[in-house]
C-alpha cells in the first residue's frame, strides 16, 4: 500500500498535475478533496470530465465516474457484493477504493487517453428495434454504422503512418527538392524555346513533334491492347480445352455408365444427403444452440470469485455422488428386461456413432476429392502457362518414363567409367609422388654418407673434374653407364609398380564396389528426399486449405448465428405489435366504456377533437386580429406621431434653455406669445 501511495504522489507531482504533495499531505486529504484529485486525473484523460465536485450532486459524480471507468475497462476487485461496496466507496470518497483507481489510471495514462478518444466515436448508440422499423431511422442508423467503420479504417491508417517512420522534415526536404527540379525544368524548357525560336518553321516542327509523340503514345496503347487481347485469347483457348476435357470425361462416364448404376449412385447420394439433413445437422444445430445458451447464461452471470468457485465445486461433487448412488441402486435391482434394453441401447448407440463417423469420413473424402480435382486443374493450367505443352497421360507418360530409365542407365555406366579413370589417374599421381620422394631420400642419404666420410661435396667436385678433364669417349661411356643404370632403375620401378598394383587390385575392386554402393545410396537418398519434400509440400498445402475452410465455416456459423438472433428479434417485435393490435381490437370491440376509453383509437379521436376545437378557436382569434388590424395600426401610427411631436417639443425646450434669453414667452388664454 505504501508503494502504491508513493507511486501516486510521484505522478501527481509531475506534469501536467503539479500538485506538490508529499505522503503525509496526500494521506491527510479529505474525501471531497480526494474525489477532486480523482476527477482531475479523469479530466486529464477525457477533457469532458473537467467539473468542480462541489457544484455537482454526489450521485451524478458517481454515475459519471463509473461510466468513464467502464469505458476505460477498469475492473474493480471482487464479486457483485464488492461492486456495491465499490460504488458506495466511490460516492463517499473512500481511500481503499480510490487509491487503486488512481494507481491504475496513472500507470497507463497515455493508453487510456487514446481509449477515451476512441470511445467518443466508437461506442455504438443502441436504437430500439421498434424505431428501426421506420425507413428514415434505419437509413440514418446504417449511415452511422458506415461512418463508424470509416473512422476505424482512417484511424488505423493514421496509426500506421505515425509508426511508419515518415517525418515531416523528410517530406519537406523532398518537396523542396522537387520544387527545385521543377524550376530547373522550367528554365531548361525556356532555354529550349529560345533556341527553337531562331530556327525556321519551328511552329511546324513543334506540331510534327507533338503529332509524333501522340502517335507513339497511341502505338504503346495499341500494343498494350494487343497484348491484352492475346492474353484473353490464350485464356479463352485454355477455357475451351478445359471444357472439351470435361465434355470428354462426361461422355466417357455416360458411355460406361448404365441406368441401374446411375440410379443406385443417385439413391446413395439421396440417402446420404437426407441423413445429413434430417439427423446429423439438426443434432449439431441443437448442440450449438445448447452451447450458445450455456455461454449466454455464463456471460449474463456476474464475475465469480474464489469462494463461488469452491461452492460450485462442492455442489458438483455432491451431484456426482448422488448420481453414483442412483447408478448403484439401479445395478442392485438388475432387472433382466432393463438389461436387455440397455444392451440394445448400447448396440444402437454404437451403430449410430459408427454411422456418424462413416458419414464424416465420407464428407471428408468428398471434400478431399474436390480439393484434389481443383489442385489437378490448377497444376495443369500452370504447366500449360509455363511451357505451353499439355500434361502427359497414360501410354505417353509410360513411354516417357521408359526413355528416362534407359537414359539413366547409360548415364550411370558412363559415370562409372569416368570414376574408374579418375581412380587410375589418382594411383599414377600417387606413384609419381612416391618416386620423387624416394629420389630425394637417396640424394639425402648420399650427402650424409659423404659428410660421414669427410668428403662432403665429393660427388659434385668429381662431376666437375670429370666434366672438365674427361674426353668425349669417357663422357659417352658415362652416358652408357647412366643409361644402363636408369634402365635397371626403371625395371626395378616397374617391378615395384606391378607388385603394388597386384597388391592394390583387390582393394581397388572393393573400393569400386563401395563407390557404386555409395552412388546408389546417394541416389536413393535424393529420391527419398524429393518424395519427402513433395509430401511435406502437399501436407502443408492441405493444412492451409483446411485452415481456410475452417475459417470460412466459422465465419458462416457466425453469420448464421447473427441471422438467427436477428430473426428472433424480428419475431419478438412482430409478436409485440400483434399483441398490441389484439389488445386494441379487444378494447375497441368490448362493451365496457372504460375499456373503450383505453383504446388507442378513442384516444386519437379525442386528441383529434381537441385539436379541431383548438384550431377553431385559433381561427376565430385570427379573424378578430385581422378585423382589428387596420384600426390598431392607425392608432399605433398616431401614437408614434404623438411621440415624435413630444420629442420635438422636448428638444426645442432644451435648446431654448441652453441659449441666452432673447425675449419672454407669455401665455394668455391658452396661447403662447414671444415678447422681444
Amino acid at each position: 500500500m505504501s508503494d502504491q501511495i508513493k507511486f501516486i504522489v510521484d505522478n501527481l507531482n509531475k506534469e501536467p498535475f503539479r500538485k506538490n504533495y508529499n505522503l503525509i499531505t496526500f494521506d491527510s486529504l479529505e474525501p471531497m478533496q480526494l474525489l477532486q484529485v480523482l476527477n482531475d486525473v479523469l479530466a486529464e484523460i477525457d477533457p469532458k470530465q473537467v467539473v468542480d465536485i462541489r457544484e455537482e450532486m454526489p450521485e451524478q459524480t458517481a454515475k459519471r465516474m463509473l461510466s468513464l471507468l467502464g469505458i476505460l475497462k477498469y475492473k474493480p476487485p471482487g464479486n457483485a457484493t464488492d461492486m456495491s461496496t465499490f460504488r458506495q466507496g466511490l460516492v463517499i470518497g473512500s481511500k481503499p477504493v480510490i487509491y487503486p483507481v488512481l494507481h491504475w489510471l496513472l500507470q497507463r495514462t497515455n493508453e487510456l487517453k487514446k481509449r477515451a478518444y476512441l470511445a467518443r466515436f466508437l461506442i455504438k448508440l443502441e436504437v430500439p428495434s421498434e424505431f428501426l422499423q421506420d425507413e428514415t431511422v434505419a437509413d440514418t442508423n446504417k449511415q452511422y454504422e458506415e461512418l463508424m467503420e470509416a473512422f476505424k479504417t482512417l484511424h488505423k491508417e493514421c496509426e500506421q503512418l505515425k509508426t511508419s517512420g515518415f517525418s515531416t522534415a523528410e517530406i519537406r526536404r523532398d518537396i523542396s527538392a522537387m520544387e527545385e527540379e521543377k524550376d530547373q525544368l522550367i528554365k531548361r524548357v525556356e532555354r529550349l524555346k529560345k533556341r527553337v525560336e531562331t530556327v525556321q518553321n519551328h511552329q511546324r516542327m513543334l506540331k510534327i513533334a507533338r503529332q509524333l509523340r501522340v502517335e507513339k503514345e497511341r502505338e504503346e496503347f495499341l500494343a498494350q491492347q494487343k497484348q491484352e487481347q492475346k492474353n484473353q485469347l490464350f485464356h479463352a483457348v485454355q477455357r475451351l480445352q478445359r471444357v472439351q476435357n470435361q465434355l470428354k470425361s462426361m461422355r466417357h462416364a455416360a458411355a460406361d455408365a448404365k441406368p441401374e448404376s446411375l440410379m443406385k449412385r443417385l439413391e446413395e447420394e439421396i440417402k446420404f444427403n437426407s441423413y445429413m439433413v434430417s439427423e446429423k445437422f439438426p443434432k449439431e444445430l441443437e448442440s450449438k444452440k445448447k452451447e450458445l445458451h450455456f455461454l449466454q447464461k455464463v456471460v449474463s452471470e456476474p464475475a465469480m470469485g474464489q469462494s463461488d468457485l469452491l461452492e460450485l465445486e462442492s455442489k458438483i461433487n455432491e451431484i456426482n455422488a448422488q448420481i453414483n448412488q442412483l447408478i448403484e441402486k439401479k445395478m442392485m435391482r438388475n432387472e433382466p428386461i432393463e438389461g436387455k434394453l440397455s444392451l440394445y441401447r448400447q448396440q444402437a448407440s454404437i451403430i449410430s456413432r459408427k454411422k456418424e463417423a462413416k458419414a464424416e469420413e465420407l464428407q471428408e473424402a468428398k471434400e478431399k476429392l474436390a480439393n484434389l480435382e481443383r489442385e489437378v486443374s490448377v497444376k495443369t493450367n500452370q504447366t500449360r502457362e509455363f511451357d505451353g505443352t499439355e500434361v502427359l497421360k497414360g501410354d505417353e507418360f509410360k513411354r516417357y518414363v521408359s526413355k528416362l530409365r534407359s537414359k539413366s542407365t547409360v548415364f550411370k555406366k558412363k559415370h562409372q567409367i569416368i570414376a574408374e579413370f579418375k581412380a587410375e589417374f589418382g594411383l599414377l599421381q600417387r606413384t609419381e609422388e612416391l618416386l620423387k620422394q624416394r629420389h630425394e631420400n637417396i640424394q639425402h642419404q648420399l650427402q650424409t654418407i659423404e659428410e660421414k666420410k669427410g668428403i662432403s661435396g665429393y660427388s659434385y667436385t668429381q662431376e666437375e673434374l670429370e666434366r672438365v678433364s674427361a674426353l668425349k669417349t669417357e663422357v659417352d661411356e658415362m652416358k652408357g653407364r647412366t643409361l644402363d643404370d636408369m634402365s635397371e632403375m626403371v625395371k626395378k620401378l616397374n617391378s615395384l609398380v606391378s607388385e603394388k598394383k597386384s597388391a592394390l587390385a583387390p582393394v581397388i575392386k572393393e573400393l569400386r564396389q563401395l563407390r557404386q554402393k555409395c552412388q546408389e545410396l546417394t541416389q536413393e537418398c535424393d529420391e527419398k528426399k524429393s518424395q519427402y519434400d513433395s509430401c511435406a509440400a502437399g501436407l502443408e498445402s492441405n493444412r492451409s486449405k483446411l485452415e481456410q475452410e475452417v475459417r470460412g465455416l466459422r465465419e458462416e456459423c457466425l453469420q448464421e448465428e447473427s441471422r438467427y438472433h436477428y430473426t428472433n428479434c424480428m419475431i419478438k417485435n412482430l409478436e409485440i405489435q400483434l399483441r398490441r393490435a389484439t389488445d386494441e381490437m379487444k378494447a375497441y370491440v368490448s362493451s365496457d366504456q372504460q375499456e373503450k376509453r383505453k383504446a388507442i383509437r378513442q384516444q386519437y379521436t379525442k386528441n383529434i377533437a381537441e385539436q379541431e376545437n383548438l384550431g377553431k378557436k385559433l381561427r376565430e382569434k385570427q379573424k378578430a386580429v385581422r378585423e382589428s388590424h387596420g384600426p390598431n395600426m392607425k392608432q399605433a401610427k398616431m401614437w408614434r406621431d404623438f411621440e415624435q411631436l413630444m420629442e420635438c417639443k422636448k428638444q426645442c425646450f432644451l435648446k431654448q434653455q441652453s441659449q441666452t434669453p432673447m425675449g419672454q414667452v407669455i401665455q394668455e388664454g391658452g396661447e403662447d406669445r414671444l415678447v422681444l
Side-chain angles (χ1 to χ4, degrees), residues 607-647:
N607 290 332
I608 288 165
E610 289 177 356
Q611 294 297 323
E612 285 178 353
N613 294 327
L614 183 61
K616 192 182 289 183
K617 289 179 182 178
L618 289 172
R619 282 194 295 273
E620 291 175 357
K621 193 174 181 181
Q622 184 181 10
K623 186 177 179 182
V625 169
R626 283 179 181 173
E627 289 174 354
S628 62
H629 180 262
N632 288 335
M633 291 297 290
K634 193 173 181 182
Q635 189 175 1
K637 188 175 181 303
M638 291 170 67
W639 182 256
R640 285 195 295 272
D641 293 340
F642 177 71
E643 282 184 347
Q644 288 179 2
L645 182 61
M646 294 302 293
E647 185 69 26

Side-chain angles (χ1 to χ4, degrees), residues 442-458:
I442 290 168
Q443 290 291 332
H444 185 66
Q445 289 177 3
L446 182 61
Q447 289 177 3
T448 51
I449 289 167
E450 287 178 352
E451 288 177 357
K452 284 181 181 179
K453 299 294 183 178
I455 51 172
S456 60
Y458 172 74

Side-chain angles (χ1 to χ4, degrees), residues 23 34 96 113 121 239 306-307 340 365 419 453 478 641 672:
L23 294 174
L34 198 59
K113 279 183 182 178
F121 305 102
R239 203 177 300 117
Q306 190 67 29
S307 59
K340 291 180 181 179
K453 299 294 183 178
M478 277 184 71
D641 293 340
D672 295 339

Side-chain angles (χ1 to χ4, degrees), residues 276-487:
M276 295 292 286
V277 171
S278 61
E279 295 184 14
K280 193 170 187 300
F281 288 157
K283 287 180 182 178
E284 291 181 356
L285 184 62
E286 190 67 27
S287 64
K288 293 291 182 184
K289 284 181 181 178
K290 288 181 181 178
E291 188 177 356
L292 179 63
H293 179 69
F294 178 72
L295 292 173
Q296 287 177 349
K297 189 176 178 182
V298 170
V299 170
S300 62
E301 290 180 356
M304 292 185 179
Q306 190 67 29
S307 59
D308 297 332
L309 292 173
L310 292 172
E311 289 178 2
L312 287 174
E313 286 180 358
S314 63
K315 287 180 182 179
I316 290 166
N317 292 326
E318 290 176 0
I319 291 167
N320 287 329
Q322 292 176 2
I323 290 167
N324 291 327
Q325 289 176 2
L326 291 171
I327 290 168
E328 288 177 358
K329 287 179 181 179
K330 189 176 180 181
M331 291 175 68
M332 291 291 291
R333 290 178 192 170
N334 198 9
E335 294 181 1
I337 298 170
E338 290 292 330
K340 291 180 181 179
L341 289 174
S342 64
L343 180 63
Y344 291 135
R345 287 195 193 104
Q346 287 178 0
Q347 290 178 355
S349 63
I350 290 166
I351 291 166
S352 63
R353 283 198 295 271
K354 286 183 178 180
K355 191 176 180 181
E356 290 176 358
K358 293 297 180 184
E360 290 178 356
E361 288 179 1
L362 182 60
Q363 190 71 19
E364 290 176 358
K366 284 185 176 179
E367 292 175 356
K368 193 173 181 181
L369 180 62
N371 292 327
L372 290 172
E373 287 177 353
R374 284 197 295 271
E375 285 181 3
V376 168
S377 63
V378 170
K379 296 293 184 184
T380 52
N381 292 328
Q382 287 179 357
T383 52
R384 286 173 186 169
E385 291 177 359
F386 183 69
D387 56 358
T389 59
E390 294 186 358
V391 181
L392 297 175
K393 294 180 180 178
D395 297 332
E396 294 180 356
F397 184 73
K398 289 179 181 178
R399 285 196 293 272
Y400 180 70
V401 170
S402 63
K403 285 181 183 179
L404 284 178
R405 285 176 181 171
S406 62
K407 288 182 180 180
S408 64
T409 53
V410 173
F411 171 75
K412 287 177 182 177
K413 289 179 181 178
K414 300 292 184 183
H415 194 270
Q416 188 175 0
I417 292 166
I418 291 167
E420 291 176 356
F421 285 147
K422 284 181 179 179
E424 290 178 359
F425 178 71
L427 288 171
L428 292 173
Q429 279 186 341
R430 180 61 180 165
T431 52
E432 184 181 2
E433 289 175 359
L434 291 171
L435 291 172
K436 286 180 179 179
Q437 189 176 1
R438 188 171 181 184
H439 177 68
E440 290 176 358
N441 292 330
I442 290 168
Q443 290 291 332
H444 185 66
Q445 289 177 3
L446 182 61
Q447 289 177 3
T448 51
I449 289 167
E450 287 178 352
E451 288 177 357
K452 284 181 181 179
K453 299 294 183 178
I455 51 172
S456 60
Y458 172 74
S459 59
Y460 179 72
T461 53
Q462 186 178 4
E463 287 175 359
E464 288 292 326
L465 290 170
E466 287 177 355
R467 189 171 58 82
V468 172
S469 60
L471 297 171
K472 186 179 179 181
T473 55
E474 293 177 355
V475 172
D476 293 334
E477 289 177 359
M478 277 184 71
K479 284 181 179 180
R481 285 197 299 272
T482 53
L483 287 171
D484 293 334
D485 293 334
M486 287 177 69
S487 62

Side-chain angles (χ1 to χ4, degrees), residues 493-548:
L493 289 173
N494 286 327
S495 62
L496 287 171
V497 167
S498 61
E499 289 176 0
K500 294 293 183 183
K501 276 187 178 182
S502 60
L504 291 172
V507 178
I508 290 169
K509 285 183 181 179
E510 291 178 1
L511 183 62
R512 286 176 182 172
Q513 292 176 359
L514 291 172
R515 281 180 180 172
Q516 189 174 0
K517 191 180 289 185
C518 179
Q519 288 174 1
E520 292 175 356
L521 290 173
T522 51
Q523 188 176 0
E524 187 177 358
C525 178
D526 293 335
E527 290 176 357
K528 297 292 184 182
K529 189 176 180 183
S530 63
Q531 290 177 2
Y532 170 76
D533 292 335
S534 63
C535 183
L539 291 173
E540 185 67 24
S541 63
N542 290 331
R543 187 180 66 82
S544 62
K545 286 180 181 178
L546 289 172
E547 287 178 354
Q548 289 178 359

